Every structure is written in C-alpha cells, then in structure tokens.
C-alpha cells in the first residue's frame, strides 16, 4: 500500500498511529492536509513532495468556483499555505510548485482540476520510479553480509513507496544480498523504532533496534560497517536531516566507516548554503511527555530542533536517481 | 533529603517515580534492596556504594541468628547477592566489602550488627564529604558564564547527596559563578530528563533539556562549551559510563571542547582494562514501551547495553576527591 494516494479524495497512512495500527485518514480539505503535515501524520521529504502535489489537487476540488480566475487565485493562495506547513524540507514546496505551474495553464475549472490531479499522480508515480533508481544505484555500494546503521525513517513510509536510504537496503536485498540493519530509535518522535522497524520486519529484513546514543558502541564493536541516511535538504556545503544525523556522521568519521546519504535530486537546493536555512524548532512537549507518561518536569526549558546540518566533509557519497556522487562534491 | 538513609530500616527515594513524585520506599529485607537496585529505583555508582554498604547492615538485621558463625556466614552469602545485583558498577561491591570486612570482626551477633550499621553510615557520610571535595576540585575548571553539557544523572540522586559531575556544577554555582547546563535526556530510562532536570530546577540552576541526539548541534552552535560526565568504573585504558557517553565524547573531541569526568577514587579499578569488564545488557522492553505507549513492534530485536566504554584519549581531565588528573593519565 502506498503512503499517500488519491481515491475520491486524498488518503494518508496516519504514521503517528504506527506501530499500534495502520490507519488510513482521508483529507477532503487542504486544512486537513496541512494539519496532518504539521502533526507528522505524514512526514519524510519525498512523501511531503507528493503531499504538496496532491495538496494543490485537493485545493481545486475542495469547493465550487465561479470562474477560472477564482480557481487560479485560490490555488495560488492555498499553495502558499501548503508549502509553509513545515519550513525545513524543500520537497514540500517542490511538489506544490510542480502541480501549481501546470494547473494554472488550464483553461476551464474542469481542466485546472484534471491537470492538477493528473500532475499530482505523476509526481507520486515518479517518486516510486526515482526511489527504485536510487535503490539500484545505492545497492552497488552494499556488499553481501553488510550490517548497515540507519537513522530515522527513510522507507516506504517516508516516500510514496520503496524509500530512499531504506530503498537502497531493499534493492540490495532484492538483488539477493544478505543485509542486516541497526535502526536508531530517533528521538523524540521515534520514527526509527515506530516506522523503520515496522517496515523492515514486515519485509522480513533483519533489524535490531538501538537507542540513538548507542551509535558509538555499535560502530566501535564492529556490529555495523556502513551508515546510510536520507536527507531533507541538500545545500552547497552539506545537508539537513533529522536531528541526530550530525552526531551519527561524526561518530562514523571517527571510526572511518562509510557514511552515505540517499536522496532524490529534488532534495538538492544548491542556490543555498547552510546559513540560509531555518531549522524548525518543535514543541517542548515532545521531550516532556511520552504518551501519558511524564518524562521531565512539566515546566523544564527544552531545545528541540527537528533537524541538524551535516557538512560535506563527513559524507562518503550521495546516492541519487542519477547516480552516485563522490567527494569532492562538485555540484 | 538524602537519596538513601537508615531509620529503623533502610529507606530509598524511588527514582523510577520521579519527576511525578518523590516517594520513599522502605527496605526491610535484602531481597527488597536487590530488587530496588535491579529495577533502578536506586542507581548511580556512588549511591550504589552506599546501597551495598547498607545492604550488609540490612542482612544482619533482617532475621534472627542462633550464633556468631551463623550471622557471619549469612552476611558473606548475602554480600555476594547484593554485589551481583548489577554487574558493571564496581562501587556496589566496594560498598559491600567495606562493611562486610569490618562486620565479620564482631565477636557477638549484636556487635556484628552494630559494626555493620556504623560502617554503613560511615560509607554514606564519606560519600557526601568526598563529593564536596570532587565539587571543589572540579569547580576550578569551570568559569563564570560557562555552559556545561552533562549526561545521565550524576547529582544528589546518583549519590548519597551533592553529586559528582553535577556536584562540580553545584560547587561552582555555590562559589558564585554563573553556570548554565544542557542536560541530555539519556535514553532509554531518561535519567537526564527525569532526574537531572528535576534536581537542577529544584536548586534553581538554569537547565535546558535536549535529546541525546542533539549533542552534535548544541556543541557545533557553541551553545555549550564544556562537557562533564560521571563514571561507573574507571579502568586502565578508559572508563565505563551510561550508554551514550562515548558518542558524546567523540562529538566533544570533534569540536575540541573539554570533556571532563568526575568520579570518586572508589570508581577506579586499575587492575582491569576495558577487555575485562562485562557490559550489562538490559531488556528490550525499555526501548519498546514508554509507560503504556508502544514505541516499536512488540517482537522487535533490541540491543540495549546499559553502559559504554570511552577511551582515555577522549578525556580532558578526571576530577576526583584527591585532585584533578590530566593526560597522560599515569594512574
């Protein structure tokens, strides 16, 4: 099943419910989609690209319009709202733009709608094709018997299907290589334990869960020999990804094991450097509570950035749908 | 209030209940103490030394004996049980041995009991004195305006009172220096968020909570300029401490900020190297559940070591009650 798809309206797997249950939620209005994005019911840079794309289609269907100008203006307005639902991932606005640009070329309300939906479906299809290409390119870097450490979730749940960094592992396994995985839990929202373990176990790929802080010991003990992560935004001097990626990269470098990044070209934003990107800060409650359990004093001060930046000097290779890029990274 | 004390029987603050409530639990039998140690109701190397010491006293009082040989044999037997409640911290057996040796010199059941209790009280008193000395010695390494990153809990709750690494911060603050603290949550049992934040807020010391994985970003951004941690066992080539300490040490080294260890001399076990120490592995449920909340598939494979090893080359100084030891560490 795809993470996001259109059937009469837009449907998403509510990832906040996993691994307890795989629940589909319908979005019939842009507001519902934006809320779902904000509360991370859907997350992962490539999945957000599809969400952005489908969001524009959703805007075209969510109400009646009296004329062409009205639907065009409405789409432009809603496109901004969707694109700004989360500030760090570039893919959300890439998806929005892809569909908006074409949809505005429609010459009737009906044409705008059908173009928007067709283009959104194309974005979703292309994501899957692209991920399979990333997987195929990256699989060449994995050998039979490798044990790969991964961070956060970069699997089918982070994309429309297949995954980026996990897609590389999937492709290697599909080629017949025996690959084992160590998954970091990825605090504070535990995408690693909740989503990555869930996906890999479903696919019968051998996975061991560790705390984020156990990265040092598992690398030192030689339990893992390679690291693969995804990326939310690749800029000229490095890349942004889930908070903690940077610490993993430093640890991999210290032990001289390869540290690979797998991401589609749409993640590249080479007009910018790390200085130009705002890192989203999320609420204190993500660290203070876990479900109903109180993990810290209620009024404690918290610094909770959603992402961190890893400079290129810690990266061994970047795997994209077009091939593998090695240092020096002459983008 | 002390973390552990004797009043008719042995009393402990149940640290698994914090920060929700500060609840005292009585131990009237050695079995209850061992269970409390195993489930981490009391933890922290120096507090475990006192627990070991009081445990022997408890053994002498928990039942009637028909003669001197019987109580002596019983103490020897229970001493082994207490000392093996947790395998990695050397302090537990140090505390047990200190009291056992003296108690066995008693020439009547009553004398064995009174020596055991007196010696246990002395171990507890000495811990506090020692921590104040560690604090005073370490405070010289902290300057007015420093922002210190710390890991796990090394405060009064990890000791009888005052603390080791947090004791250094307390002593510096007591001397009038303005010190701010970043506390890592310390997964999977969140001693950082539950205990360190709780203690520091009670003492009105400025503390900010972060995920363990945010260590990289806060050091890189210059939010912290020094790291202080405790130690569970210091051996010839480095030290064992809470899982994650090693990753923090690598990150501090990468950014060339000081990484200090604060621990009493009883933590030193220089007849051993890292090769000789068994790292305790704890249950999978610590990562799979948080309270009632399911964080991972129920049957996921988990690697959950309680400690990791940090080699001496990553350590800037070791602070003890006898002074500060700098590299090269000629123990």
């Amino acid at each position: 099943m795809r993470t996001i798809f259109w059937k009469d309206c837009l449907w998403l797997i509510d990832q906040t419910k996993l691994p307890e249950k795989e629940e589909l939620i319908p979005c019939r209005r842009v507001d519902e989609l934006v809320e779902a994005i904000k509360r991370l019911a859907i997350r992962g840079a490539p999945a957000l690209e599809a969400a952005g794309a489908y969001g524009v289609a959703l805007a075209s269907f969510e109400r009646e319009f009296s004329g062409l100008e009205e639907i065009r203006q409405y789409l432009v307005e809603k496109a901004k709202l969707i694109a700004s639902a989360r500030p760090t991932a570039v893919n959300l606005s890439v998806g929005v733009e892809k569909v908006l640009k074409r949809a505005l070329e429609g010459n009737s309300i009906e044409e705008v709608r059908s173009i928007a939906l067709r283009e959104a479906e194309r974005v979703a299809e292309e994501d899957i094709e692209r991920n399979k290409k990333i997987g195929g390119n990256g699989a060449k870097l994995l050998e039979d018997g490798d044990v790969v450490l991964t961070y956060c979730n970069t699997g089918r749940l982070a994309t429309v299907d297949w995954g980026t960094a996990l897609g590389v592992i999937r492709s290697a396994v599909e080629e017949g290589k025996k690959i084992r995985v160590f998954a970091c839990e990825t605090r504070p929202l535990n995408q690693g334990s909740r989503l990555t373990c869930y996906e890999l176990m479903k696919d019968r790929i051998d996975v061991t869960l560790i705390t984020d802080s156990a990265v040092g010991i598992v690398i030192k003990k030689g339990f893992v020999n390679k690291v693969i992560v995804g990326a939310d935004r690749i800029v000229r001097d490095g890349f942004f990804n889930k908070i903690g990626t940077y610490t993993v990269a430093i640890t991999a470098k210290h032990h001289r094991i390869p540290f690979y990044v797998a991401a589609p070209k749409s993640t590249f934003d080479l007009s910018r450097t790390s200085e130009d990107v705002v890192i989203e800060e999320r609420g204190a409650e993500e660290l203070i509570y876990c479900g109903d359990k109180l993990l810290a004093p209620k009024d404690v001060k918290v610094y909770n950035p959603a992402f961190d930046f890893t400079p290129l000097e810690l990266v061994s290779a970047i795997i994209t749908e077009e091939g593998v890029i090695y240092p020096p990274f002459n983008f």
Side-chain angles (χ1 to χ4, degrees), chain A:
Chain A
M1 185 171 46
R2 293 187 181 185
T3 299
I4 179 167
F5 61 91
W6 188 278
K7 192 177 175 187
D8 299 326
C9 68
L10 186 59
W11 292 85
L12 314 171
I13 297 175
D14 186 348
Q15 303 190 22
T16 63
K17 299 279 168 60
L18 289 171
E20 299 253 28
K21 49 184 171 182
E22 191 163 297
E23 187 178 302
L24 286 167
I25 45 170
C27 295
R28 293 189 179 83
R29 299 164 38 83
V30 169
D31 292 354
E32 291 168 335
L33 175 64
V34 168
E35 190 261 336
I37 294 170
K38 281 189 199 285
R39 69 180 181 85
L40 310 190
I42 184 163
R43 29 61 56 196
L48 288 176
E49 184 174 329
Y54 279 121
V56 177
L58 195 57
S60 77
F61 285 101
E62 74 173 342
R63 48 161 280 205
E64 295 306 311
F65 299 95
S66 58
L68 189 57
E69 260 327 290
E70 197 186 38
I71 189 170
R72 281 177 175 164
Q73 274 181 23
Y74 190 76
L75 259 52
V76 169
E77 183 191 310
K78 290 292 164 180
K80 276 187 205 150
L81 188 74
I82 300 161
S84 62
R86 291 190 70 199
T88 309
V90 67
N91 307 59
L92 189 57
S93 52
V94 167
V96 166
E97 283 307 315
K98 277 184 183 170
V99 175
L100 181 65
K101 197 179 146 194
R102 291 297 188 86
L104 293 180
E105 292 167 3
N107 287 313
S108 67
I109 293 171
E110 271 323 296
E111 205 183 4
V112 168
R113 284 174 169 162
S114 72
I115 294 174
L117 185 55
R118 187 189 70 210
E119 291 301 315
E121 296 281 21
R122 190 208 303 262
V123 166
E125 286 298 331
E126 281 175 355
D127 179 59
I128 300 171
E129 282 169 40
R130 205 167 54 178
N131 293 337
K132 298 250 173 149
K133 283 183 190 158
I134 293 171
N137 291 334
K140 295 178 188 121
L141 300 173
L142 298 189
E143 288 165 56
D144 192 41
D146 275 347
V147 189
V148 181
L149 184 126
T150 190
Y151 198 75
C152 196
N153 174 263
T154 57
R156 70 173 181 92
L157 292 164
T159 59
V160 179
D161 204 352
W162 201 251
T164 54
L166 277 197
V168 169
I169 292 167
R170 282 205 164 95
S171 293
V173 169
E174 201 181 47
E175 288 174 10
K177 294 172 186 165
K178 189 169 160 42
I179 308 287
R180 291 188 297 127
V181 179
F182 273 69
C184 297
E185 58 176 359
T186 316
R187 288 283 297 156
L189 297 179
N190 291 71
Q191 292 92 338
S193 35
R194 290 193 301 107
L195 309 178
T196 297
C197 291
Y198 172 82
E199 275 195 32
L200 291 176
M201 288 171 76
K202 245 185 147 175
D203 279 11
R204 299 177 183 278
I205 296 174
D206 186 317
V207 60
T208 302
L209 175 62
I210 58 171
T211 60
D212 304 332
S213 65
V215 167
I217 194 173
V218 299
I219 295 181
K220 184 169 186 183
K221 282 184 175 283
F223 290 175
V224 301
N225 65 333
K226 283 170 188 170
V227 178
I228 305 187
V229 299
D232 287 85
R233 190 187 289 235
I234 298 173
V235 293
R236 279 208 303 281
D237 51 342
F239 73 104
F240 290 85
N241 194 45
K242 178 60 54 201
I243 182 69
T245 304
Y246 178 51
T247 312
V248 176
I250 292 170
T251 310
K253 181 78 167 186
H254 185 80
H255 285 281
R256 298 193 176 85
I257 69 167
F259 180 87
Y260 300 128
V261 179
K265 292 289 282 185
S266 59
T267 311
F268 286 66
D269 185 21
L270 301 177
S271 63
R272 290 191 169 79
T273 71
S274 53
E275 301 292 309
D276 309 320
V277 177
V278 175
I279 290 185
E280 175 185 0
E281 288 187 30
R282 298 185 58 85
E285 70 286 355
E286 291 183 352
L287 274 81
I288 296 174
Y289 295 94
C290 186
D292 294 337
K293 193 173 160 69
L294 188 66
L295 291 183
K298 280 180 187 147
D299 48 348
V300 69
K301 194 160 54 170
V302 170
Y303 174 58
N304 182 22
F307 302 93
D308 60 21
F309 173 74
T310 300
L312 286 179
E313 54 264 34
L314 301 180
V315 177
S316 308
I318 301 175
I319 303 156
T320 77
E321 66 273 32
E322 293 174 11
V324 180
I325 315 171
Y326 293 96
F329 297 97
N330 297 317
F331 296 138

